[in-house]
Amino acid sequence: MTTVMAKGVADSGWWNGLAGVLIFSGSLPATRLALRDFDPLFLTVARAGIAGFLALAIVLWRRQARPSRGQWVPLAVVAVGVVIGFPLLTAMALQHVTSAHSIVFIGLLPLATAVFGVLRGGERPRPAFWAFSLIGSALVAAFAVHESVSTAPWGDALMLLAITVCGLGYAEGGRLARSLGGWQVIAWALVLSLPAMALAMLWLWPARMGEVSAPGWLSLAYVALFSMFLGFVFWYRGLALGGIAAVGQLQLLQPFFGLALAGWLLHEPVSRAMLAVTIGVVLCVVGAKKFAA
């Protein structure tokens, strides 16, 4: 009976994680689209500020108890990693590379999340898990090289740094969600960063805000409401229920969802090789799930 219940919890974690991945898949294409109208720094603080006001309203409406004293430092790590660091670094990178090129770097995020899950979350996946994780990451990296070798190394360096801080933010948030709750983690991280983000948003307010296009507004709304808040509600719940390292492997699918969106929304070229690599990555995700415990 206990085994059946544990399996049900783990499966629920994977479904929540998959919902988060699907939402996150639109983040980089939407960011690329928003950068046509907004500066990277303003876009970063605006998405965090909008999501922060939403999080504050929900926390007050639910009369949510404040985190304990020991939870504020991990929340600050989450805020630095996923509220500020990853959005800002990716927005800066997208000034040098296409969203299709940047998306393939997301395939390295599961490995970064798993490593920080071991360092910060105390998880100990079996050796076979690491084998599937490394193979999946290698497939994505090989795909990136095959598709397009970047002519902008600065953009690649920014993406690698973004992956590192995001992996730390994911692992720290997944660990904290076990005691604080999935949606509460991202909500309090946004509330914690709200004063600075709100002031920065007012300071950096564009002079020509009235000239922003409709796609620009829609992209800002997406990265603020979905990428910055709703996606994390599912994602941190998934990490807490299914395990940081295990559920984190679902991110191997994110580059391919994102590439499809980049081709559809931005008309960026997407190779047919994506299908073959996607099949290989799916098999790696299945294998990693089996040996994650």
Side-chain angles (χ1 to χ4, degrees), residues 181-198:
W183 74 267
Q184 290 91 336
V185 169
I186 189 58
W188 283 113
L190 286 166
V191 169
L192 179 62
S193 60
L194 179 57
M197 295 298 100

Side-chain angles (χ1 to χ4, degrees), residues 2-286:
T2 303
T3 303
V4 174
M5 290 178 63
K7 185 178 184 301
V9 170
D11 288 344
S12 177
W14 278 75
W15 283 113
N16 276 273
L18 182 59
V21 166
L22 288 171
I23 292 172
F24 291 150
S25 296
S27 297
L28 290 180
T31 299
R32 176 77 171 183
L33 200 57
L35 286 172
R36 296 176 181 177
D37 292 288
F38 300 108
D39 173 82
L41 188 55
F42 174 78
L43 179 62
T44 299
V45 299
R47 65 188 282 181
I50 293 169
F53 282 115
L54 174 63
L56 179 61
I58 293 176
V59 165
L60 293 175
W61 173 57
R62 294 287 298 269
R63 298 182 179 179
Q64 194 68 31
R66 292 183 181 182
S68 65
R69 181 178 299 179
Q71 291 174 328
W72 284 110
V73 172
L75 282 170
V77 173
V78 173
V80 170
V82 304
V83 176
I84 302 170
F86 183 77
L88 178 59
L89 291 167
T90 52
M92 293 171 62
L94 286 169
Q95 292 187 308
H96 303 280
V97 297
T98 67
S99 63
H101 181 85
S102 65
I103 283 168
V104 295
F105 282 85
I106 302 300
L108 302 176
L109 194 49
L111 188 58
T113 304
V115 170
F116 283 116
V118 170
L119 295 176
R120 298 292 302 156
E123 297 187 354
R124 294 294 182 268
R126 286 184 274 177
F129 165 86
W130 292 109
F132 280 109
S133 180
L134 288 170
I135 292 171
S137 297
L139 282 173
V140 174
F143 178 78
V145 173
H146 179 267
E147 285 298 293
S148 57
V149 179
S150 177
T151 57
W154 181 239
D156 288 353
L158 287 169
M159 282 304 304
L160 289 173
L161 184 57
I163 294 304
T164 302
V165 299
C166 190
L168 174 60
Y170 279 175
E172 197 71 21
R175 183 179 71 88
L176 190 56
R178 297 168 184 166
S179 58
L180 188 59
W183 74 267
Q184 290 91 336
V185 169
I186 189 58
W188 283 113
L190 286 166
V191 169
L192 179 62
S193 60
L194 179 57
M197 295 298 100
L199 288 174
M201 183 169 59
L202 292 175
W203 179 262
L204 298 169
W205 194 267
R208 299 182 177 180
M209 186 64 85
E211 299 178 7
V212 175
S213 66
W217 285 117
L218 290 173
S219 298
L220 175 58
Y222 186 89
V223 296
L225 302 178
F226 289 86
S227 303
M228 196 84 271
F229 187 77
L230 185 59
F232 281 104
V233 172
F234 290 104
W235 183 242
Y236 281 140
R237 177 174 172 78
L239 293 178
L241 293 176
I244 296 169
V247 174
Q249 296 306 298
L250 286 169
Q251 295 165 115
L252 286 170
L253 302 175
Q254 187 173 329
F256 306 103
F257 295 141
L259 282 171
L261 287 172
W264 177 51
L265 291 175
L266 304 176
H267 307 293
E268 295 179 353
V270 177
S271 171
R272 294 180 180 179
M274 185 181 77
L275 179 60
V277 178
T278 301
I279 294 173
V281 167
V282 169
L283 293 176
C284 288
V285 170
V286 173

